[in-house]
Amino acid sequence: MNEQKTVSSRAWAEMLLLAAIWGASFVSIRIALDEVGPLTSVAHRVGWAALALWVAVIVMRLKIPRDPRVWAAFLVMGLLNNVIPFGLMAWGQLHIESGLTSILNAATAIFGVLAAALFFADERLSLRKLVGVGLGFAGVATAIGLDNFRSFDLRSLGQLAIIGGTISYALASVWARKRLAGHPPQVAAAGMVTGSTLIILPVAWLVEGPIALALEPRTMAAIGYYALIATALAYLLYYRVLAMAGSGNLMLVTLLIPPFAIVLGAVLLGEALRPAAYGGFALLAIGLLVLDGRIWRYLKGSVR
């Protein structure tokens, strides 16, 4: 959270590319869900991504870990960072718009701050973080809509499923810091999605039936996109941008994703969001910028 670097033009371009890739993933997942179940969609996502990432690891001649404890850590990471959030969000998208899913997904950084404060002594909640988290929660509540707290239905459950996914992402970041530090990011990503695949394949098979490969071309294209581009390639691009821009600046990608998802959802799926969703995103964006430090530094400078 505290790491800041000057963002070069190239880093900005690659952050925008990463945001566009992830923004389009919400739409592609929704398209695939017209033919496959949520768990099956996750199985396709992590299974094909695992194959692609291991090819990258082999081509880069990276050392593959042999310690069983490392593979156990990959398994837990796969559960927290892929199986649970991907599954919850895919199910949630059956009941809410792709654009709204991307807005609620931005709360990942908010819960990440709270999880870090809970588990790490050097990540205590400062006044700046408390203000950012408070604004973030206000944004989530606004995006969901106060009326949904009064009339609890499948749409409400869908939104809560997305929030549950963001909490799982936050816990995954804690686990990665505790157990996966020191491993090349490409190896960690490949190990994680391999662990995810080992978990989700039998679960999806038992719950939704055999994993079908004979699918409509539209579905296959959507799966190919979110598995190979929005998962495998995006992980590699993510770590590349992280090295160039730093973790603090990389948080800005979270703010860039929803506009892409909202526009693509409207154009390709005919989705329309309520004004409250945009208001919630605005509050979330301000909260994330406070956490990032930019607005906070500006306000402190203005007071002086």
Side-chain angles (χ1 to χ4, degrees):
M1 298 297 299
N2 298 323
E3 183 185 348
Q4 292 284 357
K5 293 183 180 180
T6 300
V7 184
S8 65
S9 298
R10 181 165 186 167
W12 272 116
E14 295 198 13
M15 281 200 290
L16 281 170
L17 176 60
L18 184 59
I21 289 173
W22 275 337
S25 72
F26 291 98
V27 176
S28 65
I29 290 167
R30 185 60 191 86
I31 290 172
L33 289 172
D34 286 337
E35 188 174 1
V36 300
L39 297 177
T40 301
S41 75
V42 176
H44 277 296
R45 181 173 187 175
V46 296
W48 298 118
L51 290 176
L53 284 169
W54 281 121
V55 169
V57 168
I58 293 170
V59 169
M60 298 170 74
R61 297 184 178 181
L62 298 173
K63 184 179 179 180
I64 299 175
R66 299 180 182 276
D67 188 341
R69 291 172 296 181
V70 173
W71 283 97
F74 285 155
L75 199 67
V76 175
M77 187 65 180
L79 178 67
L80 293 175
N81 202 58
N82 294 153
V83 174
I84 294 175
F86 288 177
L88 286 174
M89 290 188 178
W91 184 85
Q93 278 194 258
L94 291 173
H95 308 290
I96 69 173
E97 300 85 0
S98 301
L100 181 56
T101 301
S102 71
I103 290 174
L104 296 177
N105 179 68
T108 296
I110 303 297
F111 288 110
V113 169
L114 291 177
L118 183 62
F119 289 98
F120 301 115
D122 61 342
E123 295 282 1
R124 292 178 181 175
L125 289 176
S126 61
L127 177 60
R128 172 176 62 85
K129 291 181 179 180
L130 284 171
V131 171
V133 168
L135 286 168
F137 278 129
V140 170
T142 302
I144 290 176
L146 296 177
D147 56 318
N148 283 300
F149 290 108
R150 293 191 294 268
S151 56
F152 201 74
D153 53 17
L154 275 177
R155 181 176 176 83
S156 304
L157 281 174
Q159 293 178 95
L160 290 177
I162 306 302
I163 296 301
T166 66
I167 294 172
S168 189
Y169 278 140
L171 294 174
S173 67
V174 171
W175 182 260
R177 177 173 167 180
K178 281 182 171 289
R179 298 300 177 94
L180 297 180
H183 296 285
Q186 299 86 353
V187 174
M192 174 183 67
V193 291
T194 300
S196 308
T197 304
L198 293 175
I199 295 171
I200 195 62
L201 272 179
V203 174
W205 191 296
L206 287 172
V207 175
E208 296 176 352
I211 308 299
L213 296 178
L215 301 169
E216 293 293 328
R218 170 184 166 97
T219 305
M220 290 298 295
I223 289 173
Y225 176 81
Y226 69 65
L228 300 178
I229 306 299
T231 304
L233 178 63
Y235 274 137
L236 298 177
L237 181 60
Y238 172 88
Y239 290 114
R240 175 184 169 89
V241 176
L242 178 63
M244 286 193 293
S247 58
N249 290 315
L250 191 56
M251 186 193 296
L252 296 177
V253 173
T254 308
L255 303 180
L256 299 172
I257 293 172
F260 287 104
I262 290 168
V263 170
L264 289 171
V267 173
L268 299 178
L269 303 177
E271 295 178 346
L273 301 184
R274 300 180 308 168
Y278 296 103
F281 176 60
L283 284 171
L284 257 172
I286 295 172
L288 290 172
L289 289 174
V290 168
L291 288 173
D292 171 70
R294 284 170 170 78
I295 287 182
W296 197 257
R297 288 193 298 271
Y298 174 78
L299 292 175
K300 288 176 70 176
S302 299
V303 171
R304 291 174 185 171

